[in-house]
Amino acid sequence: MLIEHVLPPHAVGEDALGDPPPTAPTGLFPIEEREIAHAGEKRRREFTTARHCAHRALTRLGLPPTPVPPGPTGAPTWPPGITGSITHCDGYRAAAVARTADLPHLGIDAEPHAPLPPLVRDGITTPTERTHLQDLTTTHPDIPWDRLLFSAKESVYKTCAPLSPRPLQFDDAEITFTPTTRTFTARLLLPWPAGVPAPVLPGRWHTAHGILLTATALPRPS
């Protein structure tokens, strides 16, 4: 599985390259099926396969068959005591879960292995990041670092959204990549609740089959 290349300890994941045939039974729980009752075919396929991944990942943690409906913000609603994340892009679906006793918050993201349009790149990066991306492109030109940075920020925001004092923006985190270890560090730039310093998150990345993958987590404080 591609997703296991990026997951932190204590997290488990499941993924899929593609979808079952449209005529196959969805295998969704009724509460999940209602979510896509009026959706288009593309949305139905990606939602269904991603939920299959989530169900399998929860089973690997020892949970009974459990629905994962969207919550009010659209983020998945996990069973009590579980944190997790779902992602999908063209040709790829994945889910990752962990027990909150081990990892309080977890985020994953998948993107196509292709550079961003320049206007999008400039809109999601800080000046420091733009310099960092230029240096990375010079030394490792085979990686679309701007798209990888976009993915890393998506993973970070999925991880931190439940704790953030406000909705996170792309300039609320600054990413630094380490190509030799396929890791990154995310430093949050916004004030955190109750005067607590904003966390610094470790992350991992991987590329394969035309897919960029990132994952990060907030570990439980020691």
Side-chain angles (χ1 to χ4, degrees), residues 135-165:
D135 294 340
L136 290 168
T137 300
T138 299
T139 56
H140 298 80
D142 56 322
I143 303 294
W145 293 103
D146 51 2
R147 180 84 66 168
L148 191 64
L149 183 140
F150 177 91
S151 179
K153 289 195 175 188
E154 287 289 321
S155 289
V156 168
Y157 297 161
K158 290 178 182 180
T159 302
C160 295
L163 304 174
S164 175

PDB file of all heavy atoms in Angstrom, residues 135-165:
ATOM      1  N   ASP A 135      15.184  26.407  -4.461  1.00  0.00           N
ATOM      2  CA  ASP A 135      16.376  25.621  -4.135  1.00  0.00           C
ATOM      3  C   ASP A 135      16.132  24.133  -4.355  1.00  0.00           C
ATOM      4  O   ASP A 135      16.988  23.419  -4.903  1.00  0.00           O
ATOM      5  CB  ASP A 135      16.791  25.875  -2.689  1.00  0.00           C
ATOM      6  CG  ASP A 135      17.260  27.305  -2.451  1.00  0.00           C
ATOM      7  OD1 ASP A 135      17.621  27.981  -3.437  1.00  0.00           O
ATOM      8  OD2 ASP A 135      17.251  27.739  -1.286  1.00  0.00           O
ATOM      9  N   LEU A 136      14.966  23.645  -3.943  1.00  0.00           N
ATOM     10  CA  LEU A 136      14.644  22.226  -4.105  1.00  0.00           C
ATOM     11  C   LEU A 136      14.550  21.850  -5.587  1.00  0.00           C
ATOM     12  O   LEU A 136      14.999  20.778  -5.998  1.00  0.00           O
ATOM     13  CB  LEU A 136      13.325  21.903  -3.401  1.00  0.00           C
ATOM     14  CG  LEU A 136      13.344  21.943  -1.877  1.00  0.00           C
ATOM     15  CD1 LEU A 136      11.917  21.893  -1.334  1.00  0.00           C
ATOM     16  CD2 LEU A 136      14.150  20.777  -1.311  1.00  0.00           C
ATOM     17  N   THR A 137      13.953  22.718  -6.369  1.00  0.00           N
ATOM     18  CA  THR A 137      13.806  22.441  -7.799  1.00  0.00           C
ATOM     19  C   THR A 137      15.166  22.368  -8.482  1.00  0.00           C
ATOM     20  O   THR A 137      15.366  21.575  -9.410  1.00  0.00           O
ATOM     21  CB  THR A 137      12.931  23.515  -8.452  1.00  0.00           C
ATOM     22  OG1 THR A 137      11.642  23.505  -7.825  1.00  0.00           O
ATOM     23  CG2 THR A 137      12.756  23.260  -9.941  1.00  0.00           C
ATOM     24  N   THR A 138      16.110  23.153  -8.022  1.00  0.00           N
ATOM     25  CA  THR A 138      17.455  23.116  -8.591  1.00  0.00           C
ATOM     26  C   THR A 138      18.164  21.801  -8.286  1.00  0.00           C
ATOM     27  O   THR A 138      18.831  21.224  -9.155  1.00  0.00           O
ATOM     28  CB  THR A 138      18.290  24.290  -8.047  1.00  0.00           C
ATOM     29  OG1 THR A 138      17.666  25.511  -8.418  1.00  0.00           O
ATOM     30  CG2 THR A 138      19.713  24.256  -8.590  1.00  0.00           C
ATOM     31  N   THR A 139      18.005  21.310  -7.068  1.00  0.00           N
ATOM     32  CA  THR A 139      18.726  20.101  -6.660  1.00  0.00           C
ATOM     33  C   THR A 139      17.967  18.814  -6.943  1.00  0.00           C
ATOM     34  O   THR A 139      18.575  17.758  -7.119  1.00  0.00           O
ATOM     35  CB  THR A 139      19.053  20.174  -5.160  1.00  0.00           C
ATOM     36  OG1 THR A 139      17.833  20.370  -4.416  1.00  0.00           O
ATOM     37  CG2 THR A 139      20.011  21.320  -4.872  1.00  0.00           C
ATOM     38  N   HIS A 140      16.637  18.871  -6.975  1.00  0.00           N
ATOM     39  CA  HIS A 140      15.806  17.684  -7.198  1.00  0.00           C
ATOM     40  C   HIS A 140      14.676  18.040  -8.172  1.00  0.00           C
ATOM     41  O   HIS A 140      13.507  18.150  -7.784  1.00  0.00           O
ATOM     42  CB  HIS A 140      15.214  17.173  -5.880  1.00  0.00           C
ATOM     43  CG  HIS A 140      16.248  16.748  -4.870  1.00  0.00           C
ATOM     44  ND1 HIS A 140      16.910  17.650  -4.095  1.00  0.00           N
ATOM     45  CD2 HIS A 140      16.718  15.509  -4.540  1.00  0.00           C
ATOM     46  CE1 HIS A 140      17.754  16.996  -3.303  1.00  0.00           C
ATOM     47  NE2 HIS A 140      17.660  15.703  -3.553  1.00  0.00           N
ATOM     48  N   PRO A 141      15.006  18.220  -9.442  1.00  0.00           N
ATOM     49  CA  PRO A 141      14.011  18.723 -10.404  1.00  0.00           C
ATOM     50  C   PRO A 141      12.925  17.713 -10.772  1.00  0.00           C
ATOM     51  O   PRO A 141      11.952  18.100 -11.442  1.00  0.00           O
ATOM     52  CB  PRO A 141      14.868  19.067 -11.626  1.00  0.00           C
ATOM     53  CG  PRO A 141      16.057  18.178 -11.521  1.00  0.00           C
ATOM     54  CD  PRO A 141      16.333  18.043 -10.052  1.00  0.00           C
ATOM     55  N   ASP A 142      13.060  16.463 -10.349  1.00  0.00           N
ATOM     56  CA  ASP A 142      12.069  15.453 -10.714  1.00  0.00           C
ATOM     57  C   ASP A 142      10.824  15.501  -9.849  1.00  0.00           C
ATOM     58  O   ASP A 142       9.841  14.811 -10.135  1.00  0.00           O
ATOM     59  CB  ASP A 142      12.687  14.052 -10.629  1.00  0.00           C
ATOM     60  CG  ASP A 142      13.283  13.773  -9.251  1.00  0.00           C
ATOM     61  OD1 ASP A 142      13.877  14.709  -8.667  1.00  0.00           O
ATOM     62  OD2 ASP A 142      13.167  12.640  -8.762  1.00  0.00           O
ATOM     63  N   ILE A 143      10.822  16.297  -8.796  1.00  0.00           N
ATOM     64  CA  ILE A 143       9.680  16.392  -7.876  1.00  0.00           C
ATOM     65  C   ILE A 143       8.967  17.727  -8.094  1.00  0.00           C
ATOM     66  O   ILE A 143       9.613  18.783  -8.092  1.00  0.00           O
ATOM     67  CB  ILE A 143      10.136  16.294  -6.408  1.00  0.00           C
ATOM     68  CG1 ILE A 143      10.898  14.994  -6.153  1.00  0.00           C
ATOM     69  CG2 ILE A 143       8.943  16.410  -5.463  1.00  0.00           C
ATOM     70  CD1 ILE A 143      10.058  13.757  -6.283  1.00  0.00           C
ATOM     71  N   PRO A 144       7.640  17.721  -8.281  1.00  0.00           N
ATOM     72  CA  PRO A 144       6.893  18.989  -8.338  1.00  0.00           C
ATOM     73  C   PRO A 144       6.690  19.546  -6.922  1.00  0.00           C
ATOM     74  O   PRO A 144       5.664  19.338  -6.289  1.00  0.00           O
ATOM     75  CB  PRO A 144       5.573  18.595  -8.997  1.00  0.00           C
ATOM     76  CG  PRO A 144       5.386  17.163  -8.628  1.00  0.00           C
ATOM     77  CD  PRO A 144       6.760  16.564  -8.514  1.00  0.00           C
ATOM     78  N   TRP A 145       7.697  20.256  -6.452  1.00  0.00           N
ATOM     79  CA  TRP A 145       7.717  20.655  -5.041  1.00  0.00           C
ATOM     80  C   TRP A 145       6.568  21.573  -4.661  1.00  0.00           C
ATOM     81  O   TRP A 145       6.097  21.548  -3.518  1.00  0.00           O
ATOM     82  CB  TRP A 145       9.054  21.330  -4.724  1.00  0.00           C
ATOM     83  CG  TRP A 145      10.206  20.380  -4.812  1.00  0.00           C
ATOM     84  CD1 TRP A 145      11.112  20.268  -5.821  1.00  0.00           C
ATOM     85  CD2 TRP A 145      10.546  19.378  -3.850  1.00  0.00           C
ATOM     86  NE1 TRP A 145      12.008  19.257  -5.553  1.00  0.00           N
ATOM     87  CE2 TRP A 145      11.687  18.691  -4.344  1.00  0.00           C
ATOM     88  CE3 TRP A 145      10.017  18.988  -2.621  1.00  0.00           C
ATOM     89  CZ2 TRP A 145      12.291  17.658  -3.662  1.00  0.00           C
ATOM     90  CZ3 TRP A 145      10.618  17.947  -1.930  1.00  0.00           C
ATOM     91  CH2 TRP A 145      11.743  17.299  -2.440  1.00  0.00           C
ATOM     92  N   ASP A 146       6.091  22.382  -5.592  1.00  0.00           N
ATOM     93  CA  ASP A 146       4.976  23.261  -5.245  1.00  0.00           C
ATOM     94  C   ASP A 146       3.712  22.464  -4.972  1.00  0.00           C
ATOM     95  O   ASP A 146       2.973  22.743  -4.020  1.00  0.00           O
ATOM     96  CB  ASP A 146       4.749  24.321  -6.318  1.00  0.00           C
ATOM     97  CG  ASP A 146       4.637  23.755  -7.727  1.00  0.00           C
ATOM     98  OD1 ASP A 146       4.687  22.526  -7.906  1.00  0.00           O
ATOM     99  OD2 ASP A 146       4.489  24.567  -8.673  1.00  0.00           O
ATOM    100  N   ARG A 147       3.462  21.428  -5.777  1.00  0.00           N
ATOM    101  CA  ARG A 147       2.286  20.583  -5.530  1.00  0.00           C
ATOM    102  C   ARG A 147       2.462  19.775  -4.238  1.00  0.00           C
ATOM    103  O   ARG A 147       1.505  19.571  -3.493  1.00  0.00           O
ATOM    104  CB  ARG A 147       2.068  19.639  -6.697  1.00  0.00           C
ATOM    105  CG  ARG A 147       0.861  18.720  -6.547  1.00  0.00           C
ATOM    106  CD  ARG A 147      -0.429  19.352  -6.960  1.00  0.00           C
ATOM    107  NE  ARG A 147      -0.451  19.625  -8.382  1.00  0.00           N
ATOM    108  CZ  ARG A 147      -1.560  19.970  -9.055  1.00  0.00           C
ATOM    109  NH1 ARG A 147      -2.714  20.099  -8.412  1.00  0.00           N
ATOM    110  NH2 ARG A 147      -1.513  20.230 -10.346  1.00  0.00           N
ATOM    111  N   LEU A 148       3.689  19.329  -3.977  1.00  0.00           N
ATOM    112  CA  LEU A 148       3.947  18.592  -2.746  1.00  0.00           C
ATOM    113  C   LEU A 148       3.738  19.485  -1.530  1.00  0.00           C
ATOM    114  O   LEU A 148       3.204  19.043  -0.505  1.00  0.00           O
ATOM    115  CB  LEU A 148       5.358  18.018  -2.765  1.00  0.00           C
ATOM    116  CG  LEU A 148       5.695  17.014  -1.662  1.00  0.00           C
ATOM    117  CD1 LEU A 148       4.835  15.749  -1.794  1.00  0.00           C
ATOM    118  CD2 LEU A 148       7.174  16.636  -1.701  1.00  0.00           C
ATOM    119  N   LEU A 149       4.130  20.747  -1.652  1.00  0.00           N
ATOM    120  CA  LEU A 149       3.888  21.679  -0.559  1.00  0.00           C
ATOM    121  C   LEU A 149       2.395  21.893  -0.346  1.00  0.00           C
ATOM    122  O   LEU A 149       1.927  21.935   0.802  1.00  0.00           O
ATOM    123  CB  LEU A 149       4.594  23.004  -0.847  1.00  0.00           C
ATOM    124  CG  LEU A 149       4.494  24.060   0.246  1.00  0.00           C
ATOM    125  CD1 LEU A 149       5.825  24.790   0.416  1.00  0.00           C
ATOM    126  CD2 LEU A 149       3.397  25.069  -0.061  1.00  0.00           C
ATOM    127  N   PHE A 150       1.650  22.015  -1.439  1.00  0.00           N
ATOM    128  CA  PHE A 150       0.190  22.128  -1.332  1.00  0.00           C
ATOM    129  C   PHE A 150      -0.370  20.928  -0.562  1.00  0.00           C
ATOM    130  O   PHE A 150      -1.206  21.078   0.349  1.00  0.00           O
ATOM    131  CB  PHE A 150      -0.411  22.193  -2.728  1.00  0.00           C
ATOM    132  CG  PHE A 150      -1.914  22.240  -2.768  1.00  0.00           C
ATOM    133  CD1 PHE A 150      -2.582  23.453  -2.775  1.00  0.00           C
ATOM    134  CD2 PHE A 150      -2.662  21.075  -2.799  1.00  0.00           C
ATOM    135  CE1 PHE A 150      -3.978  23.500  -2.811  1.00  0.00           C
ATOM    136  CE2 PHE A 150      -4.043  21.112  -2.840  1.00  0.00           C
ATOM    137  CZ  PHE A 150      -4.701  22.328  -2.843  1.00  0.00           C
ATOM    138  N   SER A 151       0.090  19.728  -0.911  1.00  0.00           N
ATOM    139  CA  SER A 151      -0.392  18.528  -0.233  1.00  0.00           C
ATOM    140  C   SER A 151      -0.008  18.529   1.242  1.00  0.00           C
ATOM    141  O   SER A 151      -0.823  18.170   2.111  1.00  0.00           O
ATOM    142  CB  SER A 151       0.180  17.282  -0.923  1.00  0.00           C
ATOM    143  OG  SER A 151      -0.257  16.103  -0.285  1.00  0.00           O
ATOM    144  N   ALA A 152       1.223  18.923   1.541  1.00  0.00           N
ATOM    145  CA  ALA A 152       1.655  18.951   2.938  1.00  0.00           C
ATOM    146  C   ALA A 152       0.784  19.897   3.756  1.00  0.00           C
ATOM    147  O   ALA A 152       0.399  19.587   4.892  1.00  0.00           O
ATOM    148  CB  ALA A 152       3.119  19.366   3.017  1.00  0.00           C
ATOM    149  N   LYS A 153       0.450  21.063   3.185  1.00  0.00           N
ATOM    150  CA  LYS A 153      -0.409  21.989   3.916  1.00  0.00           C
ATOM    151  C   LYS A 153      -1.813  21.424   4.104  1.00  0.00           C
ATOM    152  O   LYS A 153      -2.434  21.620   5.164  1.00  0.00           O
ATOM    153  CB  LYS A 153      -0.452  23.338   3.197  1.00  0.00           C
ATOM    154  CG  LYS A 153       0.860  24.108   3.291  1.00  0.00           C
ATOM    155  CD  LYS A 153       0.718  25.568   2.899  1.00  0.00           C
ATOM    156  CE  LYS A 153       2.035  26.299   3.130  1.00  0.00           C
ATOM    157  NZ  LYS A 153       1.932  27.758   2.940  1.00  0.00           N
ATOM    158  N   GLU A 154      -2.322  20.712   3.111  1.00  0.00           N
ATOM    159  CA  GLU A 154      -3.626  20.068   3.277  1.00  0.00           C
ATOM    160  C   GLU A 154      -3.585  19.071   4.436  1.00  0.00           C
ATOM    161  O   GLU A 154      -4.517  19.005   5.252  1.00  0.00           O
ATOM    162  CB  GLU A 154      -4.032  19.371   1.981  1.00  0.00           C
ATOM    163  CG  GLU A 154      -4.457  20.309   0.874  1.00  0.00           C
ATOM    164  CD  GLU A 154      -5.801  20.966   1.154  1.00  0.00           C
ATOM    165  OE1 GLU A 154      -6.696  20.287   1.689  1.00  0.00           O
ATOM    166  OE2 GLU A 154      -5.948  22.167   0.841  1.00  0.00           O
ATOM    167  N   SER A 155      -2.523  18.271   4.515  1.00  0.00           N
ATOM    168  CA  SER A 155      -2.404  17.315   5.618  1.00  0.00           C
ATOM    169  C   SER A 155      -2.323  18.023   6.961  1.00  0.00           C
ATOM    170  O   SER A 155      -2.949  17.610   7.946  1.00  0.00           O
ATOM    171  CB  SER A 155      -1.164  16.433   5.422  1.00  0.00           C
ATOM    172  OG  SER A 155      -1.338  15.519   4.371  1.00  0.00           O
ATOM    173  N   VAL A 156      -1.553  19.104   7.009  1.00  0.00           N
ATOM    174  CA  VAL A 156      -1.417  19.865   8.247  1.00  0.00           C
ATOM    175  C   VAL A 156      -2.752  20.453   8.668  1.00  0.00           C
ATOM    176  O   VAL A 156      -3.137  20.393   9.853  1.00  0.00           O
ATOM    177  CB  VAL A 156      -0.366  20.975   8.068  1.00  0.00           C
ATOM    178  CG1 VAL A 156      -0.405  21.970   9.229  1.00  0.00           C
ATOM    179  CG2 VAL A 156       1.028  20.376   7.942  1.00  0.00           C
ATOM    180  N   TYR A 157      -3.501  21.009   7.727  1.00  0.00           N
ATOM    181  CA  TYR A 157      -4.760  21.647   8.088  1.00  0.00           C
ATOM    182  C   TYR A 157      -5.802  20.622   8.535  1.00  0.00           C
ATOM    183  O   TYR A 157      -6.599  20.890   9.433  1.00  0.00           O
ATOM    184  CB  TYR A 157      -5.277  22.482   6.917  1.00  0.00           C
ATOM    185  CG  TYR A 157      -4.345  23.614   6.546  1.00  0.00           C
ATOM    186  CD1 TYR A 157      -4.409  24.225   5.317  1.00  0.00           C
ATOM    187  CD2 TYR A 157      -3.386  24.076   7.445  1.00  0.00           C
ATOM    188  CE1 TYR A 157      -3.545  25.261   4.969  1.00  0.00           C
ATOM    189  CE2 TYR A 157      -2.515  25.096   7.117  1.00  0.00           C
ATOM    190  CZ  TYR A 157      -2.594  25.685   5.883  1.00  0.00           C
ATOM    191  OH  TYR A 157      -1.738  26.699   5.559  1.00  0.00           O
ATOM    192  N   LYS A 158      -5.804  19.450   7.910  1.00  0.00           N
ATOM    193  CA  LYS A 158      -6.703  18.392   8.376  1.00  0.00           C
ATOM    194  C   LYS A 158      -6.356  17.983   9.803  1.00  0.00           C
ATOM    195  O   LYS A 158      -7.241  17.687  10.621  1.00  0.00           O
ATOM    196  CB  LYS A 158      -6.626  17.185   7.448  1.00  0.00           C
ATOM    197  CG  LYS A 158      -7.230  17.398   6.074  1.00  0.00           C
ATOM    198  CD  LYS A 158      -7.067  16.154   5.218  1.00  0.00           C
ATOM    199  CE  LYS A 158      -7.610  16.355   3.818  1.00  0.00           C
ATOM    200  NZ  LYS A 158      -7.453  15.133   2.978  1.00  0.00           N
ATOM    201  N   THR A 159      -5.057  17.957  10.110  1.00  0.00           N
ATOM    202  CA  THR A 159      -4.618  17.582  11.449  1.00  0.00           C
ATOM    203  C   THR A 159      -5.019  18.628  12.482  1.00  0.00           C
ATOM    204  O   THR A 159      -5.483  18.292  13.581  1.00  0.00           O
ATOM    205  CB  THR A 159      -3.090  17.390  11.468  1.00  0.00           C
ATOM    206  OG1 THR A 159      -2.716  16.397  10.511  1.00  0.00           O
ATOM    207  CG2 THR A 159      -2.606  16.964  12.842  1.00  0.00           C
ATOM    208  N   CYS A 160      -4.824  19.892  12.150  1.00  0.00           N
ATOM    209  CA  CYS A 160      -4.965  20.963  13.136  1.00  0.00           C
ATOM    210  C   CYS A 160      -6.343  21.616  13.181  1.00  0.00           C
ATOM    211  O   CYS A 160      -6.623  22.367  14.115  1.00  0.00           O
ATOM    212  CB  CYS A 160      -3.919  22.038  12.872  1.00  0.00           C
ATOM    213  SG  CYS A 160      -2.226  21.465  13.102  1.00  0.00           S
ATOM    214  N   ALA A 161      -7.187  21.358  12.179  1.00  0.00           N
ATOM    215  CA  ALA A 161      -8.480  22.041  12.121  1.00  0.00           C
ATOM    216  C   ALA A 161      -9.299  21.912  13.400  1.00  0.00           C
ATOM    217  O   ALA A 161      -9.928  22.889  13.834  1.00  0.00           O
ATOM    218  CB  ALA A 161      -9.273  21.550  10.917  1.00  0.00           C
ATOM    219  N   PRO A 162      -9.336  20.711  14.053  1.00  0.00           N
ATOM    220  CA  PRO A 162     -10.158  20.622  15.267  1.00  0.00           C
ATOM    221  C   PRO A 162      -9.660  21.498  16.414  1.00  0.00           C
ATOM    222  O   PRO A 162     -10.403  21.756  17.354  1.00  0.00           O
ATOM    223  CB  PRO A 162     -10.046  19.135  15.639  1.00  0.00           C
ATOM    224  CG  PRO A 162      -9.656  18.437  14.381  1.00  0.00           C
ATOM    225  CD  PRO A 162      -8.777  19.410  13.657  1.00  0.00           C
ATOM    226  N   LEU A 163      -8.407  21.953  16.357  1.00  0.00           N
ATOM    227  CA  LEU A 163      -7.828  22.719  17.457  1.00  0.00           C
ATOM    228  C   LEU A 163      -7.668  24.198  17.148  1.00  0.00           C
ATOM    229  O   LEU A 163      -7.453  25.001  18.050  1.00  0.00           O
ATOM    230  CB  LEU A 163      -6.441  22.150  17.797  1.00  0.00           C
ATOM    231  CG  LEU A 163      -6.366  20.665  18.136  1.00  0.00           C
ATOM    232  CD1 LEU A 163      -4.917  20.249  18.301  1.00  0.00           C
ATOM    233  CD2 LEU A 163      -7.156  20.372  19.395  1.00  0.00           C
ATOM    234  N   SER A 164      -7.734  24.558  15.875  1.00  0.00           N
ATOM    235  CA  SER A 164      -7.409  25.922  15.471  1.00  0.00           C
ATOM    236  C   SER A 164      -8.454  26.917  15.975  1.00  0.00           C
ATOM    237  O   SER A 164      -9.651  26.633  15.974  1.00  0.00           O
ATOM    238  CB  SER A 164      -7.313  26.004  13.948  1.00  0.00           C
ATOM    239  OG  SER A 164      -7.116  27.338  13.532  1.00  0.00           O
ATOM    240  N   PRO A 165      -8.010  28.100  16.379  1.00  0.00           N
ATOM    241  CA  PRO A 165      -8.966  29.119  16.841  1.00  0.00           C
ATOM    242  C   PRO A 165      -9.802  29.713  15.712  1.00  0.00           C
ATOM    243  O   PRO A 165     -10.777  30.403  15.963  1.00  0.00           O
ATOM    244  CB  PRO A 165      -8.056  30.188  17.468  1.00  0.00           C
ATOM    245  CG  PRO A 165      -6.739  30.011  16.796  1.00  0.00           C
ATOM    246  CD  PRO A 165      -6.620  28.540  16.516  1.00  0.00           C
TER     247      PRO A 165
END
